[in-house]
Amino acid sequence: MTTDTPMQLGMVGLGRMGANLVRRLMRDGHTCVVYDLDADAVAQLEQEGATPASSLKDLAGKLGRPRNIWLMLPAGVVQRTVDELTELLAPEDIVIDGGNSYYRDDIARSRQLAPHAVHYVDCGTSGGVWGLERGYCLMVGGEREAVLRLDPLLRTIAPGAGSAEPTPGRTATSGTAPDGYLHCGPSGAGHFVKMVHNGVEYGMMAAIAEGLSIIKHADAGLRDRTVDAETAPLRDPDAYAYEIDVAEVAEVWRRGSVVGSWLVDLVADALARSPGLDGFAGRVSDSGEGRWTVLAAVDESVPAPVITAALYERFASRGLGEFTGKLLSAMRGEFGGHAEKAG
C-alpha cells in the first residue's frame, strides 16, 4: 500500500519502536530523516532508504518546511531535546513526542513552544516490538489543526479498521478510533490516555500472572510440608493434588476464553519456548506510567485498587519490600518470641 498523501518526517530516537515506526512509514511511501546518538542505528535505516542526520541541527536542516519531528526517546531526555530543538525550528513546525512522557510535562512544553509558533503534539504509542506488522495504537493530544495536518502519518502508523471486528453496538459513523488512532483532546490528553492505558496493562498483566501461578501451585497437597507452630497447615491436601501444565492452560485460554487477549497470546508463546521461564529472575520494572495513573486516581478521588496493587507488586519484585519483611519478622520475634524460619 502507498499513501495518496506522502509526507516527510524527522525521527529522533531509533530504538526498537522508533526504527520500526520509520520502516512502517517508508513502506507506505512517506520519506524520513533519522537521527540517533547510535550511528549504527542511523546507518541501518539509511540502507533501508531513510535520509541520515548527524545531529538535531542537521536533521532540522534536511527537512522541508513546515517540519514534522517525532521524538521517540526516554522520558528523561525529552526536555533537553525540546530545548535544543526550540532554537532550530520555525513557525508552523510540529514537534511530536511519541514516547511515554508525563502528561503534565506536555502541557509545559506546549506553552514553551507557543511563543515560537511551534506546535507540540503528544502521542501515546502502543504496540511494542510487534507494531511494525500489526500497527500502533495512537492516543494523540494537541491543537486540532496540528493533529489534522499529521493525519496521513498517523493513518499509516495505526493498525487500520481491518485490525479488529467492528463493534456491534457502535452507532457512530465518523471518527478515527476504529482505525486505531484518536485525537483525545488538547496538550497532554494523548499521554494522559496512554498513561491510564499502561496502568490498566499493569493490572491485566498482574492478574494473568497471579492466576497462572495459582494453577502452577495447585500441587501443594502433593508436596511435603513442614509441620510446626510457625507454618500454617494445608487443611485439605487432597484438594490441591493437581499437576496442571500451565503452558497448556495458557494455550487453551487463547481460544474462545473470556480472558483471551494479546497478553495471553504472549504468555503462551513465552511458556511454549521456556516452560520454566528460564532466564527471567522475576524483577519487574516500572517506567512511570503506573505511578502517574495512581497519582491521578488519588487526585480525582477515583478508587483504583487493582492498578495500585499491581504497581506495588512490581516494587516488591525488585526487593523493595525486603526491609518491611525484616521489620515484620523482628516484631514477631519481639512480641511472641517467634524464631524466624530459614528459607
Side-chain angles (χ1 to χ4, degrees), residues 317-335:
S317 79
R318 306 201 295 269
L320 297 175
E322 182 178 356
F323 191 66
T324 304
K326 289 181 178 181
L327 286 170
L328 289 170
S329 187
M331 284 187 275
R332 292 188 82 244
E334 290 292 325
F335 70 68

Side-chain angles (χ1 to χ4, degrees), residues 78 97 101-112 120-123 187-192:
V78 171
D97 180 3
S101 292
Y102 191 25
Y103 78 96
R104 295 189 180 204
D105 292 335
D106 295 318
I107 298 171
R109 289 169 189 149
S110 177
R111 291 172 178 166
Q112 173 186 345
Y120 182 88
V121 171
D122 51 285
C123 184
S187 293
H191 275 151
F192 188 91

Side-chain angles (χ1 to χ4, degrees), residues 141-211:
E143 300 162 286
R144 183 173 180 274
E145 294 75 14
V147 174
L148 283 174
R149 194 176 98 195
L150 297 172
D151 189 77
L153 297 172
L154 301 176
R155 187 173 295 276
T156 287
I157 293 168
S163 61
E165 292 294 322
T167 301
R170 182 179 171 86
T171 57
T173 57
S174 62
T176 61
D179 294 296
Y181 65 107
L182 179 67
H183 182 205
C184 301
S187 293
H191 275 151
F192 188 91
V193 174
K194 177 57 161 53
M195 172 188 79
V196 178
H197 165 283
N198 283 22
V200 171
E201 182 182 295
Y202 280 30
M204 292 174 68
M205 291 173 67
I208 293 167
E210 290 171 10

Side-chain angles (χ1 to χ4, degrees), residues 246-324:
V246 176
E248 291 298 281
V249 171
E251 187 66 29
V252 78
W253 279 2
R254 296 180 60 217
R255 293 167 168 80
S257 163
V258 171
V259 300
S261 63
W262 187 37
L263 288 173
V264 172
D265 292 347
L266 297 177
V267 166
D269 184 58
L271 290 170
R273 286 184 280 110
S274 176
L277 299 178
D278 301 330
F280 294 97
R283 185 189 188 282
V284 187
S285 299
D286 74 287
S287 54
E289 298 86 359
R291 301 179 188 217
W292 302 333
T293 302
V294 171
L295 290 173
V298 171
D299 285 344
E300 297 173 358
S301 300
V302 173
V306 172
I307 295 172
T308 303
L311 175 65
Y312 288 164
E313 193 167 5
R314 293 191 177 204
F315 295 163
S317 79
R318 306 201 295 269
L320 297 175
E322 182 178 356
F323 191 66
T324 304

Side-chain angles (χ1 to χ4, degrees), residues 13-158:
L14 303 176
R16 289 187 299 272
M17 289 184 70
N20 281 343
L21 283 167
V22 170
R23 293 184 175 104
R24 190 167 173 89
L25 287 163
M26 291 194 301
R27 284 182 185 180
D28 202 27
H30 302 285
T31 59
C32 295
V33 181
V34 299
Y35 170 65
D36 193 283
L37 293 176
D38 181 354
D40 290 339
V42 175
Q44 177 59 49
L45 283 171
E46 181 183 9
Q47 291 178 13
E48 298 177 38
T51 301
S54 59
S55 65
L56 289 178
K57 183 176 181 179
D58 187 33
L59 178 133
K62 289 179 175 177
L63 290 169
R65 297 185 182 180
R67 305 175 183 95
N68 306 303
I69 299 178
W70 188 300
L71 310 182
M72 209 65 190
L73 300 168
V77 299
V78 171
Q79 185 59 56
R80 65 171 177 260
T81 305
V82 171
D83 290 344
E84 185 174 347
L85 280 173
T86 301
E87 305 306 316
L88 300 172
L89 300 182
E92 300 308 316
D93 289 349
I94 300 177
V95 176
I96 308 117
D97 180 3
N100 283 325
S101 292
Y102 191 25
Y103 78 96
R104 295 189 180 204
D105 292 335
D106 295 318
I107 298 171
R109 289 169 189 149
S110 177
R111 291 172 178 166
Q112 173 186 345
L113 292 175
H116 303 271
V118 172
H119 306 287
Y120 182 88
V121 171
D122 51 285
C123 184
T125 309
S126 180
V129 296
W130 301 87
L132 175 60
E133 301 303 330
R134 290 168 53 104
Y136 297 86
C137 177
L138 304 176
M139 296 144 269
V140 188
E143 300 162 286
R144 183 173 180 274
E145 294 75 14
V147 174
L148 283 174
R149 194 176 98 195
L150 297 172
D151 189 77
L153 297 172
L154 301 176
R155 187 173 295 276
T156 287
I157 293 168

